[in-house]
Amino acid sequence: MKEALLTTLRNKKTSIAQFRQAAEKLGLILAAEAAQLLEQETISIETPLAKTEGGQFKNNLVLVPILRSGIALLNPFLHFFQRASVGFVGLQRDEKTAVAELYYYKMPPLSAQDDVILLDPMIATGGSAIDALNILKEKGAHEEKIVFVAIVAAPDGLERIKKAFPKIKIIVPAIDERLNNKKFIIPGLGDFGDRFFGTDVPG
Ligand code: URA
């Protein structure tokens, strides 16, 4: 299923409606995978017939989409994690240097106990993710409690992130070949944000 959805996202003939639908569905699958990495606690409940034990998530969860592409994953994650708070990190990539600048930041209070899921579909150089992870750590998040969810990664960018933050957990279904000289992932899927938000259409 993940492969079929990724293929739809990669195909340049995919319409904006199909792209959004595939991103939403893949986001739901990734949210379910991320859920498996969060700490659970055992609780006692009663079914209509008997006492039994069940599980529930132990900690507060903060979802942090990196603007703007991360927004595409927010809805499917909120579908599963309805009580999560949401923080935003806005990082704008300079097209020439690929260096990211922080232009927006709004975060709920973070405690070391909180689970944090960082959302950004594309890992190119890894620069934006590293900046966002540094900010999250500065604001009180614990590296061990951060799950980073992406859709496609370039190998070098992914390695940079793993080296800088060896204790975070990373979910990324596709690791592609390389970056081109414009820092786009090859084969990749093009500019995720442009395709999801429709900003690649002239006018
Ligand atoms: N961001 C994208 O949207 N696509 C890439 O290929 C790289 C970064």
Side-chain angles (χ1 to χ4, degrees):
M1 195 70 225
K2 280 192 283 187
E3 191 54 40
L5 293 167
L6 259 168
T7 304
T8 301
L9 292 175
R10 288 187 191 281
N11 192 337
K12 69 174 183 182
K13 291 186 181 152
T14 297
S15 70
I16 184 168
Q18 291 166 328
F19 190 91
R20 285 177 174 163
Q21 197 180 48
E24 176 87 14
K25 287 181 182 170
L26 188 52
L28 288 169
I29 295 171
L30 299 179
E33 286 182 10
Q36 290 186 299
L37 302 178
L38 304 181
E39 213 178 331
Q40 301 224 355
E41 63 187 357
T42 304
I43 55 163
S44 301
I45 55 156
E46 284 181 43
T47 75
L49 300 173
K51 286 189 176 169
T52 187
E53 292 198 328
Q56 67 177 18
F57 295 118
K58 190 168 177 195
N59 306 311
N60 286 331
L61 175 63
V62 184
L63 298 172
V64 183
I66 299 182
L67 301 179
R68 83 187 150 138
S69 297
I71 295 278
L73 292 174
L74 182 58
N75 224 22
F77 273 72
L78 281 174
H79 186 84
F80 279 113
F81 304 113
Q82 286 165 352
R83 285 180 295 113
S85 3
V86 181
F88 293 93
V89 176
L91 289 159
Q92 176 86 42
R93 189 167 85 133
D94 184 301
E95 296 293 333
K96 288 197 187 99
T97 60
V99 172
E101 184 201 340
L102 182 70
Y103 67 89
Y104 187 76
Y105 176 81
K106 189 84 184 170
M107 199 63 59
L110 282 178
S111 94
Q113 306 307 318
D114 294 340
D115 287 312
V116 178
I117 301 182
L118 184 64
L119 304 168
D120 193 5
M122 306 299 279
I123 301 176
T125 63
S128 311
I130 288 173
D131 288 351
L133 288 162
N134 274 324
I135 294 167
L136 289 175
K137 270 186 80 174
E138 252 170 51
K139 302 290 177 183
H142 244 218
E143 200 176 318
E144 294 85 351
K145 312 222 68 177
I146 300 175
V147 181
F148 180 33
V149 178
I151 293 176
V152 182
D156 291 357
L158 185 59
E159 279 318 303
R160 268 184 78 196
I161 296 170
K162 284 184 181 169
K163 209 167 164 200
F165 298 95
K167 293 182 192 148
I168 66 164
K169 296 168 193 119
I170 303 178
I171 294 176
V172 57
I175 300 170
D176 277 9
E177 288 165 25
R178 61 186 170 88
L179 290 182
N180 70 7
N181 60 1
K182 290 189 172 143
K183 311 288 184 200
F184 275 88
I185 301 170
I186 303 297
L189 51 76
D191 187 305
F192 190 100
D194 277 353
R195 295 190 67 192
F196 188 90
F197 294 109
T199 37
D200 54 347
V201 181

